[in-house]
Amino acid sequence: MNPNFEIKDKTIIYNILDKAEYGTLALCVENKPYAVPINFVRIKDDIYFHGALKNKKMKMLEQNSHVSFSVVENYALIDSDFSSTEGLACPATQFFKSVSMDGVAVVEDSREVKAEVFEIFMQKHQPKGGYKPFSHSDYDKALKATALVKIEVENLTCKFKFGQHLNEERFDMIVLYLLKRGTPIDRETVEIMKVQRGVKNGL
């Protein structure tokens, strides 16, 4: 990874993971890859997801528990002419934040652990409340019928791509075009570009 793009601050990484509504889980069995979007929650350094006990994910995990997981937060699309006057397509790119990780998937069978994690799922996706706590016996059957999986993360990387590597002329040119286009995501991208440029320059 280009060192200009790498983010190591755990607070920043956790914020991306906690804001994301879903991520992509990648599995592989007998050299046949399978990637699927999943809802998830982060607890400390681990990732949790759930599903049916005997779906495709669970059957594959029984054969190979090594997984990859990624989350992407897209920002402005940078048109090719935003940073070049040569008429080439090559400068076109996408600015984004991403978190990628590798780890081992472990199935959690404890009702107590399931109740705790599903409570955190609800707090993330339905923060208004309005439901019985998972300690209630009404959930016994559903919890028993649902698989809960923890990804014990072994390697994690985070990448911010916001033009930090560009020279001042190209950087300023992109900023100018984004402000001219002026969509909400363009304006937000410009603010992040300036922050990341300052970080790169030690400001």
Side-chain angles (χ1 to χ4, degrees):
M1 183 190 299
N2 186 323
N4 288 314
F5 299 152
E6 188 174 8
I7 302 295
K8 296 184 178 181
D9 187 326
K10 280 286 187 75
T11 301
I12 295 174
I13 295 170
Y14 289 164
N15 182 58
I16 296 169
L17 292 171
D18 294 344
K19 282 173 57 182
E21 294 184 3
Y22 71 93
T24 300
L25 177 71
L27 314 169
C28 190
V29 172
E30 296 179 353
N31 290 324
K32 294 181 179 180
Y34 175 64
V36 59
I38 58 170
N39 289 122
F40 71 98
V41 292
R42 176 195 64 84
I43 302 177
K44 297 181 180 178
D45 286 330
D46 299 319
I47 299 296
Y48 290 80
F49 66 91
H50 62 88
L53 290 173
K54 292 297 180 181
N55 61 15
K56 184 173 181 177
K57 293 194 299 287
M58 299 307 296
K59 290 177 181 178
M60 293 184 74
L61 288 173
E62 288 176 0
Q63 299 178 66
N64 182 3
S65 61
H66 293 274
V67 302
S68 290
F69 181 71
S70 62
V71 167
V72 177
E73 190 175 326
N74 280 336
Y75 285 85
L77 178 67
I78 309 302
D79 293 353
S80 61
D81 57 346
F82 280 20
S83 67
S84 174
T85 58
E86 298 175 1
L88 299 175
C90 306
T93 190
Q94 178 84 47
F95 284 176
F96 63 89
K97 300 176 182 179
S98 69
V99 179
S100 301
M101 62 194 74
D102 302 313
V104 176
V106 177
V107 177
E108 298 280 7
D109 293 320
S110 163
R111 189 206 185 285
E112 181 178 331
V113 172
K114 285 184 175 183
E116 177 184 350
V117 174
F118 285 125
E119 185 67 39
I120 296 171
F121 263 103
M122 291 301 292
Q123 290 170 6
K124 178 178 181 179
H125 296 290
Q126 189 176 309
K128 68 179 182 179
Y131 55 89
K132 296 178 182 179
F134 282 90
S135 57
H136 200 286
S137 59
D138 284 356
Y139 294 109
D140 287 352
K141 185 176 180 180
L143 290 174
K144 188 174 182 180
T146 304
L148 177 66
V149 181
K150 174 174 69 173
I151 301 176
E152 295 181 345
V153 178
E154 297 178 336
N155 180 55
L156 182 148
T157 58
C158 180
K159 181 178 180 179
F160 279 22
K161 184 178 180 183
F162 289 94
Q164 306 96 306
H165 63 304
L166 300 176
N167 62 42
E168 188 172 349
E169 181 181 359
R170 289 187 67 193
F171 184 91
D172 290 344
M173 188 176 176
I174 290 174
V175 168
L176 182 65
Y177 273 101
L178 289 177
L179 291 176
K180 183 178 179 180
R181 190 165 64 186
T183 68
I185 196 66
D186 288 335
R187 293 192 295 271
E188 186 177 356
T189 298
V190 168
E191 293 305 312
I192 298 173
M193 288 175 67
K194 292 177 180 178
V195 170
Q196 293 303 311
R197 189 72 158 189
V199 170
K200 177 179 180 291
N201 293 332
L203 301 176

